[in-house]
Amino acid sequence: MKDKIKSFVEEISSFKSDDSGKIEAFRIKFLGKKGAVADLFNDFKSVAKEDRKEIGIALNDLKNKAKEKIENLKSSSLPDKKASDKKEDFTMPGYPNELGSRHPLSIVRKQIIDIFSRMGFTLSYGPEIEDDWHNFSALNFPEEHPARDMQDTFFIENKPGATPEEQIALRTHTSSVQVRVMENSEPPLRTISPGRVFRNEAISARAHCIFHQVEGLYINKDVSFADLKQTLLHFSREMFGADTKIRFRPSYFPFTEPSAEMDISCNICGGKGCNICKYSGWVEILGCGMIDPNVLGNNNIDSKKYTGFAFGMGIERITMLKYQIDDLRLFFENDARFLDQFKAAR
Ligand code: PHE
Protein backbone atom coordinates (compact mmCIF):
# COMPACT_ATOMS: atom_id res chain seq x y z
CA MET A 1 0.00 0.00 0.00
CA LYS A 2 2.87 2.29 0.80
CA ASP A 3 4.32 1.71 -2.65
CA LYS A 4 0.96 2.41 -4.29
CA ILE A 5 0.71 5.73 -2.44
CA LYS A 6 4.23 6.64 -3.39
CA SER A 7 3.68 5.96 -7.07
CA PHE A 8 0.42 7.95 -7.06
CA VAL A 9 2.22 10.91 -5.44
CA GLU A 10 4.77 10.78 -8.23
CA GLU A 11 2.10 10.54 -10.89
CA ILE A 12 0.26 13.51 -9.42
CA SER A 13 3.33 15.71 -9.16
CA SER A 14 4.43 14.96 -12.74
CA PHE A 15 0.99 15.46 -14.33
CA LYS A 16 0.70 18.47 -16.63
CA SER A 17 -2.11 19.66 -18.86
CA ASP A 18 -3.99 22.80 -19.86
CA ASP A 19 -6.83 20.89 -21.41
CA SER A 20 -9.89 21.10 -19.21
CA GLY A 21 -11.13 17.66 -20.36
CA LYS A 22 -7.87 15.98 -19.35
CA ILE A 23 -7.81 17.81 -16.02
CA GLU A 24 -11.33 16.59 -15.29
CA ALA A 25 -10.36 12.98 -16.17
CA PHE A 26 -7.36 13.31 -13.85
CA ARG A 27 -9.65 14.59 -11.06
CA ILE A 28 -12.04 11.67 -11.51
CA LYS A 29 -9.17 9.19 -11.55
CA PHE A 30 -7.90 10.34 -8.16
CA LEU A 31 -10.71 12.14 -6.36
CA GLY A 32 -13.83 10.72 -7.97
CA LYS A 33 -16.25 8.65 -5.85
CA LYS A 34 -14.66 5.49 -7.10
CA GLY A 35 -11.24 7.02 -7.67
CA ALA A 36 -7.83 5.92 -6.48
CA VAL A 37 -7.93 7.87 -3.22
CA ALA A 38 -11.37 6.51 -2.29
CA ASP A 39 -10.14 2.97 -3.03
CA LEU A 40 -7.13 3.44 -0.78
CA PHE A 41 -9.33 4.75 2.04
CA ASN A 42 -11.40 1.59 1.66
CA ASP A 43 -8.29 -0.59 1.84
CA PHE A 44 -7.13 1.37 4.89
CA LYS A 45 -9.66 -0.55 7.01
CA SER A 46 -7.53 -3.69 6.65
CA VAL A 47 -4.18 -2.04 7.48
CA ALA A 48 -2.46 -3.49 10.54
CA LYS A 49 -2.76 -1.42 13.70
CA GLU A 50 0.94 -0.62 13.99
CA ASP A 51 1.10 0.73 10.41
CA ARG A 52 -2.06 2.82 10.63
CA LYS A 53 -0.47 6.02 11.78
CA GLU A 54 2.18 6.11 9.09
CA ILE A 55 -0.11 5.04 6.25
CA GLY A 56 -2.91 7.32 7.45
CA ILE A 57 -0.62 10.34 7.24
CA ALA A 58 0.62 9.32 3.78
CA LEU A 59 -2.92 8.78 2.57
CA ASN A 60 -4.13 12.19 3.75
CA ASP A 61 -1.07 13.74 2.20
CA LEU A 62 -1.89 12.07 -1.14
CA LYS A 63 -5.46 13.36 -1.02
CA ASN A 64 -4.31 16.92 -0.29
CA LYS A 65 -1.69 16.82 -3.04
CA ALA A 66 -4.31 15.67 -5.56
CA LYS A 67 -6.71 18.44 -4.55
CA GLU A 68 -4.02 21.09 -4.64
CA LYS A 69 -2.81 19.95 -8.05
CA ILE A 70 -6.28 20.12 -9.55
CA GLU A 71 -6.90 23.58 -8.13
CA ASN A 72 -3.62 24.82 -9.55
CA LEU A 73 -4.28 23.31 -12.95
CA LYS A 74 -7.78 24.79 -13.07
CA SER A 75 -6.78 28.28 -12.02
CA SER A 76 -3.91 28.47 -14.51
CA SER A 77 -5.92 27.15 -17.44
CA LEU A 78 -9.15 29.09 -16.73
CA PRO A 79 -8.18 32.71 -17.56
CA ASP A 80 -6.59 31.66 -20.84
CA LYS A 81 -9.64 29.83 -21.88
CA LYS A 82 -11.90 32.77 -20.92
CA ALA A 83 -9.77 35.25 -22.81
CA SER A 84 -9.92 33.21 -25.97
CA ASP A 85 -13.70 32.79 -25.68
CA LYS A 86 -14.34 36.49 -25.05
CA LYS A 87 -15.60 38.51 -27.99
CA GLU A 88 -15.38 42.30 -27.83
CA ASP A 89 -18.54 44.09 -28.94
CA PHE A 90 -17.28 47.25 -30.58
CA THR A 91 -20.80 48.51 -31.16
CA MET A 92 -21.39 48.98 -27.38
CA PRO A 93 -21.71 52.67 -26.42
CA GLY A 94 -18.74 54.08 -24.48
CA TYR A 95 -18.89 55.19 -20.85
CA PRO A 96 -20.10 58.81 -20.87
CA ASN A 97 -17.62 61.43 -19.66
CA GLU A 98 -19.83 63.55 -17.41
CA LEU A 99 -19.15 67.27 -17.73
CA GLY A 100 -19.34 69.41 -14.63
CA SER A 101 -21.39 72.59 -14.56
CA ARG A 102 -20.66 76.14 -13.52
CA HIS A 103 -22.18 77.29 -10.27
CA PRO A 104 -25.25 79.48 -10.97
CA LEU A 105 -23.64 82.39 -9.11
CA SER A 106 -20.57 82.13 -11.37
CA ILE A 107 -22.80 82.03 -14.46
CA VAL A 108 -24.66 85.19 -13.45
CA ARG A 109 -21.52 86.99 -12.23
CA LYS A 110 -20.00 86.39 -15.65
CA GLN A 111 -23.13 87.67 -17.38
CA ILE A 112 -23.09 90.85 -15.26
CA ILE A 113 -19.39 91.39 -15.96
CA ASP A 114 -19.92 90.83 -19.70
CA ILE A 115 -22.77 93.35 -19.89
CA PHE A 116 -20.83 96.09 -18.10
CA SER A 117 -17.60 95.28 -19.97
CA ARG A 118 -19.41 95.97 -23.21
CA MET A 119 -20.23 99.42 -21.81
CA GLY A 120 -16.56 100.06 -21.11
CA PHE A 121 -16.43 99.22 -17.40
CA THR A 122 -13.16 97.73 -16.15
CA LEU A 123 -12.88 95.14 -13.37
CA SER A 124 -11.47 95.93 -9.91
CA TYR A 125 -10.80 93.63 -7.01
CA GLY A 126 -9.87 94.35 -3.39
CA PRO A 127 -9.32 92.64 -0.04
CA GLU A 128 -12.10 90.85 1.82
CA ILE A 129 -10.53 91.85 5.13
CA GLU A 130 -10.85 95.61 5.15
CA ASP A 131 -10.22 98.56 7.46
CA ASP A 132 -12.87 100.93 8.73
CA TRP A 133 -11.66 103.74 6.47
CA HIS A 134 -12.23 101.90 3.20
CA ASN A 135 -15.42 100.14 4.27
CA PHE A 136 -17.07 103.05 6.14
CA SER A 137 -15.34 106.37 6.83
CA ALA A 138 -14.24 107.21 3.29
CA LEU A 139 -17.79 106.43 2.20
CA ASN A 140 -19.24 109.09 4.46
CA PHE A 141 -20.69 106.75 7.09
CA PRO A 142 -21.34 108.81 10.24
CA GLU A 143 -19.57 107.50 13.36
CA GLU A 144 -22.81 106.33 14.89
CA HIS A 145 -24.25 104.76 11.70
CA PRO A 146 -26.03 101.49 12.52
CA ALA A 147 -24.21 99.60 9.73
CA ARG A 148 -21.03 99.84 11.78
CA ASP A 149 -22.86 98.21 14.62
CA MET A 150 -21.77 94.80 15.82
CA GLN A 151 -25.02 93.38 14.45
CA ASP A 152 -24.09 93.94 10.84
CA THR A 153 -20.32 93.86 10.71
CA PHE A 154 -17.92 91.08 11.58
CA PHE A 155 -15.19 93.01 13.36
CA ILE A 156 -11.78 91.43 13.71
CA GLU A 157 -9.81 91.94 16.90
CA ASN A 158 -8.03 95.28 16.87
CA LYS A 159 -4.26 95.72 16.76
CA PRO A 160 -3.23 97.33 20.06
CA GLY A 161 -3.15 101.10 19.61
CA ALA A 162 -5.11 101.07 16.32
CA THR A 163 -7.07 104.23 15.53
CA PRO A 164 -10.81 103.79 14.83
CA GLU A 165 -10.06 104.06 11.12
CA GLU A 166 -7.60 101.19 11.29
CA GLN A 167 -10.19 98.94 12.91
CA ILE A 168 -10.27 95.72 10.86
CA ALA A 169 -13.46 94.00 9.69
CA LEU A 170 -14.74 91.69 6.97
CA ARG A 171 -16.00 94.01 4.24
CA THR A 172 -19.76 94.47 4.26
CA HIS A 173 -19.92 95.62 0.62
CA THR A 174 -17.53 95.98 -2.32
CA SER A 175 -17.91 99.77 -2.26
CA SER A 176 -14.64 99.47 -0.32
CA VAL A 177 -12.93 98.44 -3.57
CA GLN A 178 -14.22 101.61 -5.23
CA VAL A 179 -12.60 103.72 -2.53
CA ARG A 180 -9.33 101.98 -3.36
CA VAL A 181 -9.86 102.69 -7.06
CA MET A 182 -10.60 106.38 -6.35
CA GLU A 183 -7.53 106.84 -4.15
CA ASN A 184 -5.24 105.20 -6.70
CA SER A 185 -6.42 106.65 -10.00
CA GLU A 186 -7.66 109.81 -11.67
CA PRO A 187 -11.08 110.30 -13.31
CA PRO A 188 -12.52 109.44 -15.73
CA LEU A 189 -13.20 106.17 -13.87
CA ARG A 190 -15.55 103.46 -15.01
CA THR A 191 -15.25 100.21 -13.09
CA ILE A 192 -17.19 97.38 -11.46
CA SER A 193 -16.06 95.34 -8.47
CA PRO A 194 -17.45 91.83 -8.04
CA GLY A 195 -16.71 89.98 -4.82
CA ARG A 196 -17.68 88.26 -1.62
CA VAL A 197 -19.10 90.30 1.25
CA PHE A 198 -19.94 89.46 4.85
CA ARG A 199 -22.72 90.56 7.19
CA ASN A 200 -23.69 89.29 10.56
CA GLU A 201 -27.13 88.04 9.54
CA ALA A 202 -29.06 84.93 10.56
CA ILE A 203 -29.08 82.41 7.70
CA SER A 204 -32.53 81.99 6.12
CA ALA A 205 -34.17 81.52 2.71
CA ARG A 206 -33.64 85.25 2.06
CA ALA A 207 -30.38 86.13 3.86
CA HIS A 208 -26.91 84.72 4.42
CA CYS A 209 -23.86 85.91 6.32
CA ILE A 210 -21.77 85.53 3.13
CA PHE A 211 -23.01 86.70 -0.24
CA HIS A 212 -21.76 88.20 -3.48
CA GLN A 213 -22.03 91.67 -4.92
CA VAL A 214 -21.19 93.59 -8.02
CA GLU A 215 -20.85 97.30 -7.37
CA GLY A 216 -20.20 99.87 -10.09
CA LEU A 217 -18.76 103.36 -10.25
CA TYR A 218 -18.59 105.99 -12.98
CA ILE A 219 -16.87 109.35 -12.43
CA ASN A 220 -16.38 111.91 -15.17
CA LYS A 221 -17.23 115.49 -16.05
CA ASP A 222 -20.99 116.15 -16.31
CA VAL A 223 -22.21 112.72 -15.22
CA SER A 224 -25.90 112.99 -14.38
CA PHE A 225 -28.71 110.85 -12.99
CA ALA A 226 -29.85 110.39 -16.62
CA ASP A 227 -26.57 108.55 -17.31
CA LEU A 228 -27.20 106.34 -14.30
CA LYS A 229 -30.73 105.56 -15.48
CA GLN A 230 -29.68 104.74 -19.02
CA THR A 231 -26.80 102.53 -17.88
CA LEU A 232 -29.02 100.56 -15.53
CA LEU A 233 -31.87 100.32 -18.05
CA HIS A 234 -29.46 98.84 -20.55
CA PHE A 235 -28.13 96.41 -17.94
CA SER A 236 -31.66 95.32 -16.94
CA ARG A 237 -32.74 94.70 -20.52
CA GLU A 238 -29.61 92.70 -21.31
CA MET A 239 -30.01 90.66 -18.15
CA PHE A 240 -33.77 90.08 -17.99
CA GLY A 241 -34.98 90.67 -21.54
CA ALA A 242 -35.69 93.56 -23.92
CA ASP A 243 -39.17 94.24 -22.52
CA THR A 244 -37.91 94.89 -19.00
CA LYS A 245 -38.97 98.20 -17.43
CA ILE A 246 -37.23 99.92 -14.53
CA ARG A 247 -38.38 102.33 -11.82
CA PHE A 248 -36.55 104.23 -9.12
CA ARG A 249 -37.69 104.75 -5.53
CA PRO A 250 -35.98 107.37 -3.33
CA SER A 251 -33.75 105.79 -0.70
CA TYR A 252 -30.80 106.58 1.54
CA PHE A 253 -27.13 105.56 1.43
CA PRO A 254 -24.45 107.59 3.21
CA PHE A 255 -22.25 107.68 0.10
CA THR A 256 -24.80 108.76 -2.52
CA GLU A 257 -27.05 111.81 -2.83
CA PRO A 258 -29.65 111.52 -4.19
CA SER A 259 -29.99 107.77 -3.55
CA ALA A 260 -32.46 105.33 -4.99
CA GLU A 261 -33.48 101.71 -5.04
CA MET A 262 -34.20 100.33 -8.45
CA ASP A 263 -36.95 97.86 -9.32
CA ILE A 264 -37.44 95.97 -12.55
CA SER A 265 -40.83 94.87 -13.90
CA CYS A 266 -41.31 91.33 -12.58
CA ASN A 267 -39.64 89.00 -15.05
CA ILE A 268 -41.79 86.06 -13.89
CA CYS A 269 -45.29 87.47 -14.50
CA GLY A 270 -44.28 90.28 -16.86
CA GLY A 271 -45.65 92.87 -14.42
CA LYS A 272 -49.14 91.36 -14.05
CA GLY A 273 -48.58 90.33 -10.44
CA CYS A 274 -47.46 87.01 -8.92
CA ASN A 275 -46.17 85.70 -5.60
CA ILE A 276 -42.53 86.51 -6.50
CA CYS A 277 -43.30 90.25 -6.88
CA LYS A 278 -45.94 90.00 -4.13
CA TYR A 279 -48.56 91.05 -6.68
CA SER A 280 -46.96 94.47 -7.19
CA GLY A 281 -45.52 93.74 -10.65
CA TRP A 282 -42.09 95.05 -9.53
CA VAL A 283 -39.02 93.49 -7.88
CA GLU A 284 -36.11 95.35 -6.31
CA ILE A 285 -32.69 94.50 -7.73
CA LEU A 286 -30.20 97.17 -6.66
CA GLY A 287 -29.26 100.34 -4.80
CA CYS A 288 -27.76 103.34 -6.56
CA GLY A 289 -27.26 107.08 -6.55
CA MET A 290 -25.07 110.05 -7.42
CA ILE A 291 -21.78 109.89 -5.51
CA ASP A 292 -21.89 112.25 -2.52
CA PRO A 293 -19.40 115.15 -3.00
CA ASN A 294 -17.98 114.28 0.46
CA VAL A 295 -16.94 110.86 -0.85
CA LEU A 296 -15.19 112.41 -3.84
CA GLY A 297 -13.49 114.91 -1.49
CA ASN A 298 -12.40 112.12 0.88
CA ASN A 299 -10.55 110.58 -2.05
CA ASN A 300 -9.00 113.81 -3.38
CA ILE A 301 -11.29 114.08 -6.37
CA ASP A 302 -12.44 117.64 -7.09
CA SER A 303 -16.23 117.51 -6.70
CA LYS A 304 -16.57 120.86 -8.51
CA LYS A 305 -15.01 119.38 -11.60
CA TYR A 306 -16.32 115.82 -11.46
CA THR A 307 -19.57 114.05 -10.70
CA GLY A 308 -20.34 110.36 -10.72
CA PHE A 309 -22.81 107.61 -10.02
CA ALA A 310 -22.54 104.34 -8.17
CA PHE A 311 -24.70 101.26 -7.88
CA GLY A 312 -24.53 97.92 -6.10
CA MET A 313 -26.39 94.65 -6.48
CA GLY A 314 -26.39 91.20 -4.90
CA ILE A 315 -25.51 88.42 -7.35
CA GLU A 316 -27.66 85.98 -5.33
CA ARG A 317 -30.73 88.17 -5.76
CA ILE A 318 -30.25 88.55 -9.52
CA THR A 319 -29.69 84.80 -9.85
CA MET A 320 -32.79 83.96 -7.79
CA LEU A 321 -34.93 86.17 -10.01
CA LYS A 322 -33.37 84.97 -13.21
CA TYR A 323 -33.73 81.25 -12.43
CA GLN A 324 -36.74 81.44 -10.06
CA ILE A 325 -34.84 80.04 -7.10
CA ASP A 326 -36.75 80.56 -3.88
CA ASP A 327 -34.17 79.65 -1.24
CA LEU A 328 -30.79 81.36 -1.00
CA ARG A 329 -29.31 78.50 1.02
CA LEU A 330 -29.34 76.31 -2.12
CA PHE A 331 -26.37 78.29 -3.43
CA PHE A 332 -24.19 77.17 -0.56
CA GLU A 333 -25.21 73.53 -0.10
CA ASN A 334 -23.63 72.24 -3.32
CA ASP A 335 -26.31 69.62 -3.79
CA ALA A 336 -25.54 68.03 -7.18
CA ARG A 337 -29.28 67.76 -7.97
CA PHE A 338 -29.46 71.57 -7.79
CA LEU A 339 -26.17 72.29 -9.56
CA ASP A 340 -26.82 69.80 -12.39
CA GLN A 341 -29.75 71.94 -13.53
CA PHE A 342 -27.31 74.62 -14.74
CA LYS A 343 -25.43 72.36 -17.14
CA ALA A 344 -26.90 73.98 -20.23
CA ALA A 345 -26.23 77.54 -19.01
CA ARG A 346 -22.92 79.24 -19.52
N1 PHE B 1 -23.12 99.46 -1.03
C1 PHE B 1 -24.56 99.32 -1.04
C2 PHE B 1 -24.94 98.03 -0.34
O1 PHE B 1 -24.09 97.22 -0.09
C3 PHE B 1 -25.13 99.32 -2.43
C4 PHE B 1 -24.94 100.64 -3.14
C5 PHE B 1 -23.82 100.84 -3.92
C6 PHE B 1 -25.88 101.64 -3.03
C7 PHE B 1 -23.63 102.04 -4.56
C8 PHE B 1 -25.71 102.82 -3.70
C9 PHE B 1 -24.59 103.03 -4.46
O2 PHE B 1 -26.09 97.79 -0.04
Side-chain angles (χ1 to χ4, degrees):
M1 192 161 173
K2 271 192 219 164
D3 293 343
K4 239 185 183 175
I5 293 174
K6 207 176 158 207
S7 79
F8 282 153
V9 167
E10 274 161 21
E11 190 182 337
I12 287 169
S13 73
S14 61
F15 180 78
K16 269 188 202 132
S17 176
D18 56 6
D19 181 306
S20 59
K22 283 188 184 153
I23 296 170
E24 182 58 8
F26 176 79
R27 186 189 71 80
I28 292 168
K29 178 175 176 190
F30 285 98
L31 296 175
K33 263 192 184 157
K34 289 175 184 158
V37 173
D39 278 353
L40 286 170
F41 271 101
N42 264 337
D43 296 349
F44 186 68
K45 288 175 199 144
S46 53
V47 170
K49 235 184 174 180
E50 59 271 27
D51 294 334
R52 282 201 159 193
K53 192 172 176 196
E54 190 190 349
I55 292 183
I57 291 173
L59 199 50
N60 274 323
D61 185 49
L62 171 73
K63 189 179 167 188
N64 290 337
K65 282 206 165 98
K67 274 188 180 166
E68 205 178 295
K69 182 81 183 190
I70 285 160
E71 265 168 34
N72 287 344
L73 289 170
K74 275 191 177 164
S75 66
S76 61
S77 69
L78 220 64
D80 275 50
K81 182 147 174 47
K82 258 206 162 161
S84 63
D85 280 356
K86 200 171 165 188
K87 293 208 173 49
E88 297 292 346
D89 180 357
F90 294 106
T91 64
M92 290 280 281
Y95 293 107
N97 234 342
E98 291 265 338
L99 281 182
S101 56
R102 274 176 188 269
H103 193 281
L105 294 178
S106 304
I107 295 168
V108 170
R109 179 185 53 202
K110 185 172 181 297
Q111 289 172 349
I112 298 172
I113 292 173
D114 285 350
I115 295 168
F116 283 104
S117 301
R118 291 199 289 273
M119 288 191 270
F121 284 78
T122 60
L123 274 176
S124 311
Y125 294 97
E128 292 179 351
I129 299 173
E130 198 43 289
D131 55 41
D132 180 282
W133 171 256
H134 291 94
N135 199 74
F136 295 127
S137 295
L139 289 161
N140 205 31
F141 275 82
E143 274 297 320
E144 69 290 356
H145 195 280
R148 294 180 181 221
D149 203 285
M150 295 299 281
Q151 281 168 9
D152 289 314
T153 308
F154 288 112
F155 287 102
I156 294 171
E157 210 177 316
N158 238 344
K159 291 181 281 185
T163 65
E165 287 179 347
E166 289 167 348
Q167 167 78 60
I168 305 293
L170 297 181
R171 69 180 176 196
T172 58
H173 51 183
T174 59
S175 301
S176 56
V177 180
Q178 310 190 339
V179 174
R180 291 179 177 274
V181 171
M182 286 188 272
E183 66 189 11
N184 290 320
S185 34
E186 298 276 310
L189 296 174
R190 190 161 33 170
T191 189
I192 53 168
S193 39
R196 239 178 353 174
V197 299
F198 308 84
R199 288 184 200 177
N200 194 358
E201 302 223 24
I203 296 171
S204 71
R206 309 241 130 238
H208 207 286
C209 54
I210 299 176
F211 58 101
H212 300 78
Q213 281 191 326
V214 175
E215 296 222 354
L217 171 84
Y218 176 46
I219 303 174
N220 206 344
K221 286 175 186 155
D222 302 324
V223 177
S224 72
F225 204 93
D227 299 314
L228 168 64
K229 279 175 82 173
Q230 190 57 34
T231 305
L232 295 178
L233 176 63
H234 179 72
F235 163 75
S236 305
R237 288 183 171 168
E238 289 285 290
M239 193 66 182
F240 292 103
D243 298 333
T244 309
K245 296 184 192 62
I246 58 170
R247 77 172 184 188
F248 291 81
R249 284 176 290 104
S251 184
Y252 170 77
F253 299 103
F255 35 91
T256 46
E257 182 58 38
S259 304
E261 264 155 23
M262 192 186 88
D263 300 340
I264 56 165
S265 50
C266 179
N267 66 315
I268 313 279
C269 63
K272 286 191 207 81
C274 66
N275 60 348
I276 301 287
C277 61
K278 301 199 186 79
Y279 300 94
S280 71
W282 297 93
V283 282
E284 184 197 322
I285 63 161
L286 54 81
C288 58
M290 301 306 292
I291 301 171
D292 193 299
N294 284 345
V295 174
L296 296 173
N298 283 342
N299 293 289
N300 297 323
I301 294 174
D302 184 353
S303 60
K304 296 218 167 59
K305 208 165 148 194
Y306 293 108
T307 50
F309 65 72
F311 58 87
M313 67 187 89
I315 302 178
E316 278 79 356
R317 177 143 186 85
I318 306 281
T319 312
M320 287 170 88
L321 289 172
K322 186 140 179 146
Y323 292 112
Q324 301 179 34
I325 297 163
D326 59 6
D327 194 324
L328 195 121
R329 289 168 291 199
L330 286 164
F331 292 128
F332 302 97
E333 285 165 356
N334 284 334
D335 186 327
R337 291 168 301 180
F338 172 68
L339 298 176
D340 280 352
Q341 296 176 48
F342 299 91
K343 276 197 170 150
R346 266 161 236 287

Short mmCIF file of all heavy atoms in Angstrom, two decimals, residues 162 209 232 236 286 291 346:
data_model
loop_
_atom_site.label_atom_id
_atom_site.label_comp_id
_atom_site.label_asym_id
_atom_site.label_seq_id
_atom_site.Cartn_x
_atom_site.Cartn_y
_atom_site.Cartn_z
N ALA A 162 -4.56 100.70 17.64
CA ALA A 162 -5.11 101.07 16.32
C ALA A 162 -6.11 102.21 16.47
O ALA A 162 -6.86 102.27 17.44
CB ALA A 162 -5.80 99.86 15.69
N CYS A 209 -24.93 85.07 5.77
CA CYS A 209 -23.86 85.91 6.32
C CYS A 209 -22.74 86.13 5.29
O CYS A 209 -21.90 87.02 5.45
CB CYS A 209 -23.31 85.32 7.60
SG CYS A 209 -22.77 83.62 7.40
N LEU A 232 -28.34 101.65 -16.23
CA LEU A 232 -29.02 100.56 -15.53
C LEU A 232 -30.19 100.00 -16.33
O LEU A 232 -30.52 98.81 -16.22
CB LEU A 232 -29.46 101.02 -14.13
CG LEU A 232 -28.28 101.35 -13.20
CD1 LEU A 232 -28.78 101.84 -11.84
CD2 LEU A 232 -27.33 100.16 -13.01
N SER A 236 -30.47 96.12 -17.28
CA SER A 236 -31.66 95.32 -16.94
C SER A 236 -32.22 94.61 -18.16
O SER A 236 -32.66 93.47 -18.09
CB SER A 236 -32.74 96.23 -16.34
OG SER A 236 -32.22 96.94 -15.24
N LEU A 286 -31.47 96.54 -7.04
CA LEU A 286 -30.20 97.17 -6.66
C LEU A 286 -30.40 98.53 -5.99
O LEU A 286 -31.48 99.11 -6.03
CB LEU A 286 -29.27 97.32 -7.87
CG LEU A 286 -29.77 98.02 -9.14
CD1 LEU A 286 -29.67 99.53 -9.01
CD2 LEU A 286 -28.91 97.59 -10.32
N ILE A 291 -22.79 109.95 -6.58
CA ILE A 291 -21.78 109.89 -5.51
C ILE A 291 -21.78 111.20 -4.72
O ILE A 291 -21.73 112.29 -5.30
CB ILE A 291 -20.39 109.60 -6.11
CG1 ILE A 291 -20.42 108.29 -6.88
CG2 ILE A 291 -19.34 109.54 -5.01
CD1 ILE A 291 -19.18 108.01 -7.69
N ARG A 346 -24.33 78.93 -19.46
CA ARG A 346 -22.92 79.24 -19.52
C ARG A 346 -22.62 80.52 -18.78
O ARG A 346 -23.40 81.39 -18.74
CB ARG A 346 -22.49 79.44 -20.96
CG ARG A 346 -21.97 78.20 -21.59
CD ARG A 346 -22.00 78.30 -23.08
NE ARG A 346 -22.76 77.19 -23.61
CZ ARG A 346 -22.34 75.95 -23.66
NH1 ARG A 346 -21.18 75.66 -23.19
NH2 ARG A 346 -23.07 74.99 -24.17
#
